[in-house]
Amino acid sequence: MKTLVVVSHPEINNSQTQQFLLQGAKLQDVIWHHVEGLSEIDVDKEQKLLMSADRIIFQFPLYWYAAPSGLKNWEDKVLTRNFIYGDDNENLGDKEFGIVVSTGMPLKDFQRGGTENITIDEIMAPYHAIADRAKMKILPTFKIPQFQYMDESKQMQLLIDYQRYLTQAYPDSLSNRQAWFEQEFADRIKNFDDTDCTHCDAILNTFAQRREDITQLKSTINLIKQGEDE
Amino acid sequence: MKTLVVVSHPEINNSQTQQFLLQGAKLQDVIWHHVEGLSEIDVDKEQKLLMSADRIIFQFPLYWYAAPSGLKNWEDKVLTRNFIYGDDNENLGDKEFGIVVSTGMPLKDFQRGGTENITIDEIMAPYHAIADRAKMKILPTFKIPQFQYMDESKQMQLLIDYQRYLTQAYPDSLSNRQAWFEQEFADRIKNFDDTDCTHCDAILNTFAQRREDITQLKSTINLIKQGEDE
């Protein structure tokens, strides 16, 4: 699966959040695409880039309840009506669409009665309307509130969650999470020296065993449920 | 009452809709302010302009469920957090905020189940969130669907409705409408030669008479209602 991350930030080099995410996005089959960094917007090239991806992510800090103007400028140029839905085109149909948004305010502010008095989903509605029009599948929005206040352990958790958001199969079910962690772990230990991780294979085996245990437990639960239905 | 119309359109000279509205906005105490036409955005000057108005209108064509990027660029620069709500500032508090939006699609498309599957109010939520944060009073959005298909009589009706939106007292009640039409008519006939409109004063008198009749009818209805309550 190929993921395209369309990033918008007017001063990306000064953004701790975006620099942190950039490190996380250095994965196989993930393209980091910074719109304000483009010397010019080549519509044809951008459209081909979108079509080459299976999952398209818009990533930005929240400025006045929307993305920075750079993303809107890119949208207004690249997303021609014909490309999105004209003549029954479905250039982006069945691709997945997600949003990664960072906020300076805590999430509790984004609700009715909260300081912002509007939800994140309401704020994202215009982007989701584009995705709907293009017949894309919408992923839940990935929210990064107040990155600057996160301690190192929270940042590490964020990094993994972010990487899963970019590359893990949808939906975010237990079995998809298990498969993702197992694959990632297996891929990463390949690069280790033997001395780096003597127990790696043992961990991987235990992981696989646990996954099988859970699968068996699920089967048992299903049998019990079937019994109740009869 | 002073009205500031913050207009955003990347090619305003080629927009029939905006050129038509421009003619309508040539009223006393209405400032037409085209953001893409600014040679540079002087934040201090723009903020003072906003503060000088009693009613602030954002006016734009709908591009991908939002204003063109030019308005967002202006917002991101001019609307500093401190200006809108920092340190309990209320620079725009109690001012009125409205939106004039033109759409290429008919209004029936903007509803759940419609082609666009999103309402105009949902699309405008991010702008209204700014107005809320600034403690402004929100006016209903003025919608101009498919201007290009309007015949001359519909265009004339639009022109008057638009002028009322820019300058008529809020809310859009019968008495506020009456007062607006009477004032406008009185102002306009001042510029006529006697020969231009021999019946103008008679019309104006009839208008005033009708308004009084309605006021009396309202009093009568109120008396009846009071009788019912007792």
Side-chain angles (χ1 to χ4, degrees), chain A residues 19-55:
Chain A
Q19 291 305 315
F20 181 82
L21 296 177
L22 174 57
Q23 295 312 311
K26 285 179 178 166
L27 299 169
Q28 213 183 348
D29 290 330
V30 170
I31 297 172
W32 177 276
H33 190 60
H34 179 228
V35 295
E36 285 91 347
L38 298 171
S39 56
E40 57 163 353
I41 294 178
D42 179 332
V43 174
D44 193 52
K45 208 169 140 190
E46 297 294 305
Q47 290 183 348
K48 282 190 177 123
L49 190 60
L50 288 165
M51 287 169 70
S52 73
D54 303 295
R55 180 174 291 177

Side-chain angles (χ1 to χ4, degrees), chain B residues 1-3 27 30 54-55 57 96-97 137-140 160-184:
Chain B
M1 188 187 74
K2 285 186 179 170
T3 300
L27 298 170
V30 171
D54 303 295
R55 180 174 292 177
I57 307 285
E96 294 169 337
F97 176 77
K137 188 191 291 179
I138 291 170
L139 310 180
I160 299 296
D161 290 343
Y162 176 66
Q163 292 189 328
R164 292 197 301 112
Y165 191 75
L166 298 187
T167 61
Q168 182 186 298
Y170 175 86
D172 185 18
S173 59
L174 181 59
S175 57
N176 280 337
R177 273 204 293 279
Q178 284 170 332
W180 187 87
F181 276 109
E182 210 170 318
Q183 183 64 49
E184 282 295 310

Side-chain angles (χ1 to χ4, degrees), chain A residues 63-64 67 69 72 76 79, chain B residues 63-64 67 69 72 76 79 116:
Chain A
Y63 288 178
W64 292 123
S69 61
K72 190 63 183 16
D76 288 352
L79 306 182
Chain B
Y63 289 178
W64 291 123
S69 63
K72 191 62 183 17
D76 288 352
L79 306 182
E116 303 293 351

Side-chain angles (χ1 to χ4, degrees), chain B residues 88-110:
Chain B
D88 295 322
N89 280 342
E90 291 193 18
N91 291 313
L92 305 182
D94 295 328
K95 294 183 190 300
E96 294 169 337
F97 176 77
I99 295 172
V100 173
V101 63
S102 61
T103 67
M105 307 291 175
L107 285 186
K108 70 173 175 56
D109 285 3
F110 294 93

